[in-house]
Structures are given as structure tokens and as C-alpha cells.
Amino acid sequence: MMMRKTKWLKTICLSVIGIGFSSTMHAQTKVSLQAAQNGGTISKHIYGHFAEHLGRCIYDGFYVGEKSAIPNTDGVRNDIVAALKNLNIPNLRWPGGCFADRYHWKDGIGPKADRPSIVNTMWGGVTEDNSFGTHDFLNMCKLLGTEPYLAGNTGSGTVQELSDWVQYVNFEGKSPMSDLRVQNGQQKPWNVKFWGVGNEAWGCGGNMTPEYYVGEYRKFATFMEGKDLYKVASGANVDDYHWTETLMKGIPLNLMNGIALHHYSFPSWEKKGPAVGFSEQQYFETMKTALRMDELITKHSAIMDKYDPAKKIGLVVDEWGGWFEVEQGTNPGFLYQQNTMRDAMIAGATLNIFNNHNERVKIANLAQCVNVLQAVILTKGEKMLLSPTYHVMEMYKVHQDATRIPLTVETDDYILGNEKLPAVSVSASIDAAGKSHISLVNIQSKKGEEITIDLKGKNFKQVNGRILTSGKVDDHNDFDRPDKIKPAAFKDAVLKDGKLTVRLPAFSVAVLELI
């Protein structure tokens, strides 16, 4: 794990301009890279995404329909497919979220003209025609080259309904459900591996107690029959450690492969503040909740270790990201928000935390993929843009299935008033080709950092890198300037005498490659 020590160091000048920027000083961070040690594999699945029937994520996002003038394949936008393939997204979670425990999958199969309409009572009260269902989603995953992660309905659904869904999508032999799949045009099964057994059972998934949910999970999971299924229990909301303890104690480990954790970042749950035009206090508070992810993973993992010391059960952070007020004039139930450099800070710091907790964190899903919350893609009619978060995910894809390099960090603090946060976060890995990558995030709003990385005798010959930053921390891409923020070549990394010196501007993310 990454360790931090607070240290006051002499500051020197750095010319970086930021929101509310009055200082041009920077301090120093020290990193010790244990390049000779093997920290285990960083699962590619922590770079997963989330597509819920919420606002304009599915309809008017991913899916525009076969008759749309926007170039598409079976109704799915070609530009979105191309953008997500460039991220190498490993998995995509669907249909929710809270929607999952209100969704009945049989409404979304068969001829589209015959599918019943439903009202999305959870998100905006809009009527959906079910034109995007199981076949549409699973075939879209084939286009994306990604693994589907289906969230089953254990709230308003039945054991038989979920059991039938597993058989419908996975059974190759002859059965009522596989026959129905063939009748609907899919000869071969999709072989879906990842299954959520309900969602947020403590809240929108049924307002259950953990003791009650344990019984429900055991029952549903027992009848989800098939080979190599990865079953994820509906886990804790943020710091509900009693929930994790109850599930780990009450569910046989051979009946469960993962346990979920949900945690969002915002200034406060009651006053989330605007996505653009936020104050430095709101920025600081958002980063405080984002960095709390490390504490949450550490404490939930400690509970899991008591019952599963071999770490066979994965911690699945299948909802994370920034959550702010919706954009003015949009449906409050659609959760549409802009995406700024603050979101890039959330993404970079959170992914570093996941990388450094690779022994227990096996899957994670950013919420959400298109037009909802901390989206990597925003659309407006035929227009599409890539957000700062998208660019962080693209820069970090080098860590997927790479071997973690253990490290320690001594960093100064980002101080605001009487509070402080660690200014710099770091993670590192070595890929199958032998290239080492270091990802660095400086969350400070006004100060750059000089970072000294001790390579511990590892003889690297060359360093290259890219950086994501901008003039103000609430800068963002919009449909008039879709490329305002994008990665650029990073030249302020110097390799000399077994050490790497990096000058990292305020609110920036950099990924370095050493060979």
C-alpha cells in the first residue's frame, strides 16, 4: 500500500495559473519506488464503466435507434463505440443502479414493436419503450469488446426471474429459456460472467437490513446456476462496516465472489454545489470525500480479511465518482452535469487508490459512462465530446492487468483553513512488455510540486510522459470547444543518477513511461 508522511519543505517558484491563483510557489514530494518487488496484478476490471437507464445515458446517449441520422450500428452510436474501445474498457455494468431492482428483463426482449412500455419511476418518471434490452446491450458489449456486468433484480423481481435470465443468456443446450433466446435471433449464448445479485439492498433495492439481505442473497445466488459465474453481493453504503461484517459472516464464501461498495465524491450530500463555478472550499471538500476512498477500502478490507484471509472475495467498487448539482434547465432526475478538471482530480486520485489496493479491489465501475454524473462522454444531438475524466482513464489504461510496483510517498499537504489533505498521490506498475508506468496526481489548487522519485537502483534509460491540466480547476470541454482540455506531451521529468525529478503543476495528472 502507499504510505504518506507529512513533511514541510522549502518552496521554490513555479509559473502555473489556476482558479483563484495567487501563489507561484511549489514544494517537494519524495517517492521511493520498489521496482524490484512484485506487488501482484492490477486487475483490468477496476477500469470498468456503468450504464444505467438514467437520464440520457442509454436513450439519446448510447442508443439513438436504427433510423437515426447519427451513424450507428443497430442503433448504437458509432462514435461512442470508437471512443470507448480506445479506453480498452474491460466491463460495462447494466441496467442499473437503482433501476435494476425495478427492471424486468423479459419486457426488453422479442420484436421491439411488441415490447411493453414502462415508466422509469426511479429517474425522472419518463416513459421508456424498452427498445434497448438484453440483446441490444449484450450485442453492444460485443461491439465494444468488453465483458457485460448484469445487475439482477432482487428487489421487485423473483428468484425464478433471475434464474431464467442466467439461463437465457448463458445456457447452450436445449431449455425453455435458451429456446426463447434462439427464437429471438441469438443462436449462441453470450456467456455472461459478472452478475450483481441486487443493487443497494440497503436503500433503493429494497430498504433491507443486512441480516435480511443475507437470506435473500443466499436464496437468489443458489438458483443462479451456470459455469464460472462471478456473483457480486450488494455491499455497503460508504462506511457501513456492520453491513460488510454481516455479509461476510452470513454468506458462505463458496456462494459469493465479490462484495460491492458504493462511494461518491461531493462537497456535502445535502449541498453538492455546482459542477462548474464552484468555490475553492467546495473543491477542497470534494477532494476530501474522494480521498476517503482509501480509508473505506482499508477498513472494509480488514473486515473481509477476518473471514477471507486468502483474499478470494473481491471488493467491487461498482459505483464511484463525482456527484454535483444538475446543469441549469435540465431534468433534476437525469443527473446531467459538466465534467471539469476537478473530475480529473477525482479520477486520477481514485484510480491510484484502486491500483494500490489491488490485492482486494478486483472490479470498479465509474458512474456513469454517458451523460450522467461523472461521465467520460457527453452528447448533444449529433455532437459528442470527451471529458477530462475520459482522458485520465485513457492515460491510466497502461495499468490494466499490469504488475503493481510497491512504493512509499512523503508528500506535503494541501491546506485550506484548518484542514489538510495529502497533496500528491502516486501508483506505479510494469506491463507485460517490461515498460514501467508511474501515474501522479497533484490535487493542490494553487501550488505545483517538485517530486523526486528514487528508483532504487533500477537502471532506466529513458522517460516519456503525458500530462492533463488547464488554466483553471473548473475548466471543461464543451460542444463549442470539445478539445479545450486534452493530454499533452510532458517534458518536466528528468532522469539522472537513479532518480527521477518531476515538476508537476497544480491540479494536474501525469503518466510517465520508463524504459
Side-chain angles (χ1 to χ4, degrees):
M1 299 303 159
M2 183 177 71
M3 297 185 295
R4 181 181 67 88
K5 298 177 184 176
T6 301
K7 197 171 185 180
W8 291 105
L9 299 167
K10 185 179 179 181
T11 59
I12 57 177
C13 291
L14 178 71
S15 56
V16 178
I17 298 175
I19 186 170
F21 210 93
S22 60
S23 171
T24 56
M25 306 298 287
H26 76 145
Q28 192 171 47
T29 289
K30 293 182 179 180
V31 179
S32 180
L33 201 67
Q34 310 300 326
Q37 295 184 23
N38 184 326
T41 301
I42 297 171
S43 171
K44 67 179 181 180
H45 287 291
I46 69 170
Y47 289 85
H49 291 265
F50 179 24
E52 183 169 5
H53 284 245
L54 197 175
R56 296 193 303 112
C57 184
I58 300 297
Y59 300 107
D60 197 33
F62 276 104
Y63 186 75
V64 291
E66 295 89 336
K67 296 180 181 178
S68 174
I70 298 170
N72 68 85
T73 300
D74 297 327
V76 175
R77 289 182 66 135
N78 292 341
D79 51 2
I80 289 181
V81 170
L84 294 180
K85 287 182 74 173
N86 186 49
L87 289 185
N88 297 341
I89 68 167
N91 69 78
L92 184 60
R93 182 173 179 241
W94 176 87
C98 293
F99 181 80
D101 283 297
R102 290 155 177 78
Y103 181 67
H104 301 283
W105 69 271
K106 289 181 182 178
D107 291 342
I109 61 173
K112 296 194 178 188
D114 297 339
R115 298 180 190 178
S117 293
I118 58 169
V119 176
N120 191 335
T121 55
M122 189 65 221
W123 300 116
V126 295
T127 300
E128 298 185 7
D129 64 4
N130 267 314
S131 56
F132 190 89
T134 296
H135 288 248
D136 309 278
F137 174 71
L138 295 179
N139 290 335
M140 181 178 79
C141 286
K142 279 189 173 182
L143 285 177
L144 292 169
T146 194
E147 289 198 57
Y149 173 9
L150 294 179
N153 182 344
T154 64
S156 66
T158 65
V159 172
Q160 183 70 57
E161 182 179 9
L162 185 49
S163 174
D164 283 350
W165 203 14
V166 174
Q167 189 179 102
Y168 185 88
V169 301
N170 281 1
F171 189 61
E172 190 165 8
K174 185 173 176 58
S175 74
M177 289 300 101
S178 59
D179 287 349
L180 181 58
R181 182 191 70 237
V182 171
Q183 177 184 321
N184 287 328
Q186 182 68 24
Q187 185 70 35
K188 293 290 185 180
W190 291 279
N191 297 318
V192 176
K193 177 180 180 179
F194 298 113
W195 292 84
V197 187
N199 169 78
E200 295 188 358
W202 41 264
C204 61
N207 285 303
M208 304 177 197
T209 64
E211 292 79 9
Y212 182 84
Y213 175 70
V214 163
E216 289 295 283
Y217 178 90
R218 293 172 67 135
K219 180 171 62 175
F220 275 85
T222 296
F223 293 97
M224 295 171 66
E225 298 168 317
K227 294 180 181 179
D228 302 321
L229 301 185
Y230 191 103
K231 301 173 187 177
V232 180
S234 175
N237 179 29
V238 192
D239 58 358
D240 188 347
Y241 302 114
H242 173 65
W243 188 281
T244 298
E245 182 97 37
T246 304
L247 267 58
M248 290 301 296
K249 183 166 55 176
I251 298 173
L253 298 188
N254 64 358
L255 203 60
M256 174 175 66
N257 304 94
I259 183 169
L261 170 65
H262 291 179
H263 175 59
Y264 287 92
S265 304
F266 35 68
S268 75
W269 179 250
E270 295 78 16
K271 296 182 179 180
K272 298 183 180 69
V276 178
F278 45 85
S279 67
E280 182 169 10
Q281 185 67 46
Q282 288 171 318
Y283 171 68
F284 185 93
E285 294 297 331
T286 300
M287 294 314 302
K288 181 165 70 172
T289 58
L291 294 178
R292 193 184 177 203
M293 183 70 81
D294 185 73
E295 171 195 326
L296 296 174
I297 292 173
T298 299
K299 290 184 176 181
H300 284 291
S301 295
I303 295 168
M304 296 173 73
D305 286 347
K306 292 194 319 186
Y307 303 92
D308 175 35
K311 302 184 188 297
K312 293 182 179 179
I313 308 301
L315 186 58
V316 179
V317 191
D318 54 16
E319 290 190 27
W320 68 272
W323 191 330
F324 310 115
E325 294 171 4
V326 302
E327 296 304 307
Q328 254 188 344
T330 65
N331 188 323
F334 282 11
L335 304 187
Y336 177 80
Q337 64 189 42
Q338 248 300 350
N339 196 288
T340 69
M341 281 301 301
R342 174 174 62 174
D343 296 275
M345 297 300 98
I346 295 170
T350 302
L351 292 171
N352 281 341
I353 291 168
F354 291 160
N355 288 345
N356 288 318
H357 282 280
N358 65 315
E359 288 186 338
R360 184 60 81 177
V361 179
K362 300 301 180 183
I363 303 173
N365 299 83
L366 175 68
Q368 292 187 12
C369 202
V370 182
N371 291 331
V372 172
L373 297 176
Q374 192 173 338
V376 294
I377 292 171
L378 300 178
T379 68
K380 181 181 180 181
E382 74 284 355
K383 295 181 179 179
M384 184 198 81
L385 65 80
L386 308 178
S387 72
T389 299
Y390 175 95
H391 294 304
V392 173
M393 298 288 280
E394 190 276 326
M395 291 165 68
Y396 272 56
K397 70 182 180 182
V398 294
H399 293 301
Q400 293 186 21
D401 279 346
T403 300
R404 180 176 65 87
I405 300 174
L407 51 81
T408 59
V409 178
E410 297 179 12
T411 177
D412 288 311
D413 291 314
Y414 170 27
I415 298 173
L416 188 66
N418 296 321
E419 292 192 279
K420 59 185 179 181
L421 297 171
V424 173
S425 74
V426 188
S427 67
S429 68
I430 182 168
D431 65 17
K435 296 179 180 178
S436 296
H437 296 95
I438 305 173
S439 50
L440 306 110
V441 180
N442 177 16
I443 67 167
Q444 294 181 97
S445 65
K446 298 175 182 177
K447 290 183 179 179
E449 282 285 314
E450 182 170 282
I451 303 168
T452 302
I453 303 174
D454 188 344
L455 303 173
K456 291 295 181 181
K458 183 73 172 180
N459 186 26
F460 293 108
K461 297 179 180 179
Q462 182 180 335
V463 58
N464 301 301
R466 289 190 296 161
I467 187 169
L468 190 76
T469 191
S470 193
K472 297 188 297 181
V473 76
D474 70 341
D475 278 351
H476 54 278
N477 294 332
D478 59 33
F479 295 103
D480 294 325
R481 298 172 300 170
D483 295 321
K484 177 180 175 66
I485 299 172
K486 61 182 180 180
F490 184 56
K491 303 298 185 182
D492 282 332
V494 178
L495 190 60
K496 185 179 180 181
D497 298 331
K499 291 189 177 181
L500 183 64
T501 303
V502 181
R503 293 167 62 90
L504 196 62
F507 58 91
S508 63
V509 180
V511 176
L512 308 179
E513 179 179 274
L514 295 108
I515 53 178

Short mmCIF file of all heavy atoms in Angstrom, two decimals, residues 418-453:
data_model
loop_
_atom_site.label_atom_id
_atom_site.label_comp_id
_atom_site.label_asym_id
_atom_site.label_seq_id
_atom_site.Cartn_x
_atom_site.Cartn_y
_atom_site.Cartn_z
N ASN A 418 -8.17 25.33 8.40
CA ASN A 418 -7.59 24.46 9.43
C ASN A 418 -7.54 23.00 9.00
O ASN A 418 -7.25 22.13 9.83
CB ASN A 418 -8.42 24.57 10.72
CG ASN A 418 -8.36 25.96 11.32
OD1 ASN A 418 -7.30 26.60 11.30
ND2 ASN A 418 -9.47 26.44 11.84
N GLU A 419 -7.79 22.74 7.73
CA GLU A 419 -7.82 21.35 7.26
C GLU A 419 -6.69 21.10 6.27
O GLU A 419 -6.19 22.02 5.62
CB GLU A 419 -9.17 21.04 6.61
CG GLU A 419 -10.33 21.02 7.57
CD GLU A 419 -11.57 20.42 6.94
OE1 GLU A 419 -12.26 21.16 6.21
OE2 GLU A 419 -11.85 19.23 7.15
N LYS A 420 -6.34 19.85 6.14
CA LYS A 420 -5.28 19.49 5.19
C LYS A 420 -5.54 18.12 4.59
O LYS A 420 -6.17 17.25 5.19
CB LYS A 420 -3.91 19.52 5.88
CG LYS A 420 -3.78 18.57 7.07
CD LYS A 420 -2.43 18.78 7.76
CE LYS A 420 -2.28 17.86 8.97
NZ LYS A 420 -0.99 18.06 9.67
N LEU A 421 -5.04 17.97 3.37
CA LEU A 421 -5.14 16.72 2.63
C LEU A 421 -3.78 16.40 2.03
O LEU A 421 -3.00 17.33 1.74
CB LEU A 421 -6.16 16.85 1.48
CG LEU A 421 -7.61 17.14 1.83
CD1 LEU A 421 -8.40 17.45 0.56
CD2 LEU A 421 -8.24 15.97 2.58
N PRO A 422 -3.45 15.14 1.82
CA PRO A 422 -2.21 14.83 1.10
C PRO A 422 -2.26 15.40 -0.31
O PRO A 422 -3.24 15.20 -1.04
CB PRO A 422 -2.17 13.30 1.09
CG PRO A 422 -3.57 12.86 1.36
CD PRO A 422 -4.18 13.92 2.20
N ALA A 423 -1.23 16.12 -0.69
CA ALA A 423 -1.25 16.86 -1.96
C ALA A 423 -1.06 15.97 -3.18
O ALA A 423 -1.64 16.22 -4.23
CB ALA A 423 -0.17 17.94 -1.94
N VAL A 424 -0.23 14.95 -3.04
CA VAL A 424 0.16 14.14 -4.20
C VAL A 424 -0.19 12.68 -3.96
O VAL A 424 0.03 12.15 -2.86
CB VAL A 424 1.68 14.28 -4.48
CG1 VAL A 424 2.13 13.33 -5.57
CG2 VAL A 424 2.01 15.72 -4.86
N SER A 425 -0.74 12.02 -4.98
CA SER A 425 -0.93 10.57 -4.93
C SER A 425 -0.21 9.95 -6.12
O SER A 425 -0.06 10.57 -7.17
CB SER A 425 -2.41 10.20 -4.95
OG SER A 425 -2.99 10.39 -6.23
N VAL A 426 0.23 8.71 -5.91
CA VAL A 426 1.07 8.04 -6.90
C VAL A 426 0.71 6.56 -6.95
O VAL A 426 0.40 5.95 -5.93
CB VAL A 426 2.57 8.16 -6.55
CG1 VAL A 426 3.45 7.64 -7.69
CG2 VAL A 426 2.94 9.59 -6.18
N SER A 427 0.76 5.96 -8.13
CA SER A 427 0.77 4.50 -8.26
C SER A 427 1.67 4.16 -9.43
O SER A 427 1.95 4.99 -10.30
CB SER A 427 -0.65 3.94 -8.47
OG SER A 427 -1.20 4.34 -9.72
N ALA A 428 2.13 2.91 -9.46
CA ALA A 428 3.09 2.51 -10.49
C ALA A 428 2.91 1.04 -10.82
O ALA A 428 2.46 0.24 -10.00
CB ALA A 428 4.52 2.77 -10.02
N SER A 429 3.29 0.68 -12.06
CA SER A 429 3.18 -0.72 -12.49
C SER A 429 4.16 -0.99 -13.62
O SER A 429 4.71 -0.06 -14.23
CB SER A 429 1.75 -1.03 -12.96
OG SER A 429 1.45 -0.33 -14.17
N ILE A 430 4.35 -2.27 -13.89
CA ILE A 430 5.18 -2.68 -15.02
C ILE A 430 4.33 -3.61 -15.89
O ILE A 430 3.68 -4.52 -15.39
CB ILE A 430 6.48 -3.37 -14.56
CG1 ILE A 430 7.34 -3.76 -15.76
CG2 ILE A 430 6.21 -4.55 -13.63
CD1 ILE A 430 8.75 -4.17 -15.38
N ASP A 431 4.30 -3.35 -17.20
CA ASP A 431 3.42 -4.11 -18.08
C ASP A 431 4.13 -5.34 -18.64
O ASP A 431 5.31 -5.60 -18.38
CB ASP A 431 2.85 -3.22 -19.19
CG ASP A 431 3.91 -2.70 -20.17
OD1 ASP A 431 5.03 -3.25 -20.20
OD2 ASP A 431 3.60 -1.74 -20.90
N ALA A 432 3.41 -6.10 -19.45
CA ALA A 432 3.94 -7.36 -19.99
C ALA A 432 5.13 -7.15 -20.90
O ALA A 432 5.96 -8.06 -21.07
CB ALA A 432 2.83 -8.11 -20.73
N ALA A 433 5.25 -5.96 -21.48
CA ALA A 433 6.37 -5.65 -22.37
C ALA A 433 7.59 -5.16 -21.59
O ALA A 433 8.62 -4.85 -22.20
CB ALA A 433 5.95 -4.62 -23.40
N GLY A 434 7.48 -5.06 -20.28
CA GLY A 434 8.60 -4.61 -19.46
C GLY A 434 8.69 -3.12 -19.27
O GLY A 434 9.67 -2.62 -18.70
N LYS A 435 7.69 -2.38 -19.72
CA LYS A 435 7.69 -0.93 -19.54
C LYS A 435 7.06 -0.57 -18.20
O LYS A 435 6.01 -1.12 -17.83
CB LYS A 435 6.92 -0.25 -20.67
CG LYS A 435 7.55 -0.43 -22.05
CD LYS A 435 6.72 0.25 -23.12
CE LYS A 435 7.36 0.07 -24.51
NZ LYS A 435 6.53 0.69 -25.57
N SER A 436 7.71 0.33 -17.48
CA SER A 436 7.18 0.78 -16.20
C SER A 436 6.41 2.09 -16.37
O SER A 436 6.81 2.95 -17.16
CB SER A 436 8.32 0.99 -15.20
OG SER A 436 8.97 -0.24 -14.91
N HIS A 437 5.31 2.23 -15.64
CA HIS A 437 4.49 3.43 -15.71
C HIS A 437 4.23 3.96 -14.31
O HIS A 437 3.93 3.18 -13.39
CB HIS A 437 3.16 3.14 -16.42
CG HIS A 437 3.33 2.74 -17.85
ND1 HIS A 437 3.37 1.42 -18.25
CD2 HIS A 437 3.49 3.49 -18.98
CE1 HIS A 437 3.54 1.36 -19.55
NE2 HIS A 437 3.61 2.60 -20.02
N ILE A 438 4.32 5.26 -14.18
CA ILE A 438 4.05 5.93 -12.92
C ILE A 438 2.97 6.98 -13.16
O ILE A 438 3.11 7.84 -14.05
CB ILE A 438 5.31 6.62 -12.35
CG1 ILE A 438 6.46 5.62 -12.23
CG2 ILE A 438 5.00 7.25 -11.00
CD1 ILE A 438 7.78 6.27 -11.82
N SER A 439 1.89 6.91 -12.41
CA SER A 439 0.83 7.91 -12.52
C SER A 439 0.85 8.80 -11.28
O SER A 439 0.91 8.31 -10.15
CB SER A 439 -0.54 7.26 -12.69
OG SER A 439 -0.77 6.25 -11.73
N LEU A 440 0.83 10.10 -11.51
CA LEU A 440 0.96 11.09 -10.43
C LEU A 440 -0.17 12.11 -10.51
O LEU A 440 -0.52 12.56 -11.60
CB LEU A 440 2.31 11.82 -10.54
CG LEU A 440 3.56 10.95 -10.60
CD1 LEU A 440 4.16 11.02 -11.99
CD2 LEU A 440 4.58 11.39 -9.57
N VAL A 441 -0.69 12.47 -9.36
CA VAL A 441 -1.75 13.48 -9.28
C VAL A 441 -1.38 14.50 -8.22
O VAL A 441 -1.04 14.13 -7.09
CB VAL A 441 -3.11 12.84 -8.92
CG1 VAL A 441 -4.20 13.90 -8.85
CG2 VAL A 441 -3.50 11.76 -9.91
N ASN A 442 -1.43 15.77 -8.58
CA ASN A 442 -1.27 16.87 -7.62
C ASN A 442 -2.62 17.57 -7.51
O ASN A 442 -3.06 18.23 -8.45
CB ASN A 442 -0.20 17.84 -8.09
CG ASN A 442 -0.06 19.05 -7.15
OD1 ASN A 442 -0.53 19.03 -6.02
ND2 ASN A 442 0.57 20.11 -7.65
N ILE A 443 -3.31 17.42 -6.37
CA ILE A 443 -4.66 17.98 -6.25
C ILE A 443 -4.66 19.44 -5.82
O ILE A 443 -5.72 20.07 -5.79
CB ILE A 443 -5.52 17.17 -5.27
CG1 ILE A 443 -4.98 17.29 -3.84
CG2 ILE A 443 -5.63 15.71 -5.70
CD1 ILE A 443 -5.93 16.77 -2.77
N GLN A 444 -3.51 20.01 -5.48
CA GLN A 444 -3.49 21.38 -4.97
C GLN A 444 -4.04 22.37 -6.00
O GLN A 444 -3.73 22.28 -7.18
CB GLN A 444 -2.08 21.77 -4.57
CG GLN A 444 -1.55 20.97 -3.39
CD GLN A 444 -0.16 21.40 -3.02
OE1 GLN A 444 0.04 22.20 -2.11
NE2 GLN A 444 0.82 20.87 -3.72
N SER A 445 -4.80 23.33 -5.53
CA SER A 445 -5.42 24.29 -6.45
C SER A 445 -4.48 25.40 -6.85
O SER A 445 -4.71 26.07 -7.86
CB SER A 445 -6.67 24.89 -5.80
OG SER A 445 -6.31 25.66 -4.66
N LYS A 446 -3.40 25.61 -6.07
CA LYS A 446 -2.55 26.77 -6.33
C LYS A 446 -1.06 26.46 -6.41
O LYS A 446 -0.29 27.30 -6.87
CB LYS A 446 -2.77 27.82 -5.23
CG LYS A 446 -4.18 28.35 -5.18
CD LYS A 446 -4.38 29.29 -4.00
CE LYS A 446 -5.82 29.78 -3.93
NZ LYS A 446 -6.07 30.64 -2.75
N LYS A 447 -0.64 25.32 -5.94
CA LYS A 447 0.79 25.05 -5.86
C LYS A 447 1.19 23.84 -6.71
O LYS A 447 0.52 22.81 -6.69
CB LYS A 447 1.20 24.78 -4.41
CG LYS A 447 1.14 26.01 -3.53
CD LYS A 447 1.64 25.67 -2.12
CE LYS A 447 1.62 26.90 -1.22
NZ LYS A 447 2.09 26.57 0.15
N GLY A 448 2.28 24.01 -7.42
CA GLY A 448 2.88 22.89 -8.08
C GLY A 448 3.74 22.10 -7.10
O GLY A 448 3.95 22.51 -5.96
N GLU A 449 4.23 20.96 -7.54
CA GLU A 449 5.09 20.12 -6.70
C GLU A 449 6.32 19.70 -7.48
O GLU A 449 6.22 19.37 -8.67
CB GLU A 449 4.35 18.85 -6.27
CG GLU A 449 3.36 19.03 -5.15
CD GLU A 449 4.03 19.19 -3.79
OE1 GLU A 449 4.95 18.41 -3.48
OE2 GLU A 449 3.64 20.11 -3.05
N GLU A 450 7.45 19.70 -6.79
CA GLU A 450 8.62 19.04 -7.34
C GLU A 450 8.70 17.67 -6.68
O GLU A 450 8.81 17.58 -5.45
CB GLU A 450 9.90 19.83 -7.08
CG GLU A 450 11.12 19.16 -7.68
CD GLU A 450 12.36 20.04 -7.64
OE1 GLU A 450 12.46 20.95 -8.48
OE2 GLU A 450 13.19 19.83 -6.74
N ILE A 451 8.64 16.64 -7.48
CA ILE A 451 8.56 15.27 -6.98
C ILE A 451 9.86 14.55 -7.33
O ILE A 451 10.26 14.50 -8.49
CB ILE A 451 7.36 14.53 -7.60
CG1 ILE A 451 6.06 15.29 -7.30
CG2 ILE A 451 7.28 13.10 -7.08
CD1 ILE A 451 4.87 14.82 -8.09
N THR A 452 10.51 14.01 -6.32
CA THR A 452 11.73 13.24 -6.51
C THR A 452 11.42 11.76 -6.31
O THR A 452 10.93 11.37 -5.24
CB THR A 452 12.84 13.67 -5.53
OG1 THR A 452 13.10 15.06 -5.70
CG2 THR A 452 14.11 12.87 -5.78
N ILE A 453 11.66 10.97 -7.34
CA ILE A 453 11.35 9.55 -7.28
C ILE A 453 12.65 8.75 -7.27
O ILE A 453 13.43 8.79 -8.23
CB ILE A 453 10.47 9.12 -8.48
CG1 ILE A 453 9.18 9.96 -8.53
CG2 ILE A 453 10.14 7.63 -8.41
CD1 ILE A 453 8.33 9.72 -9.75
#
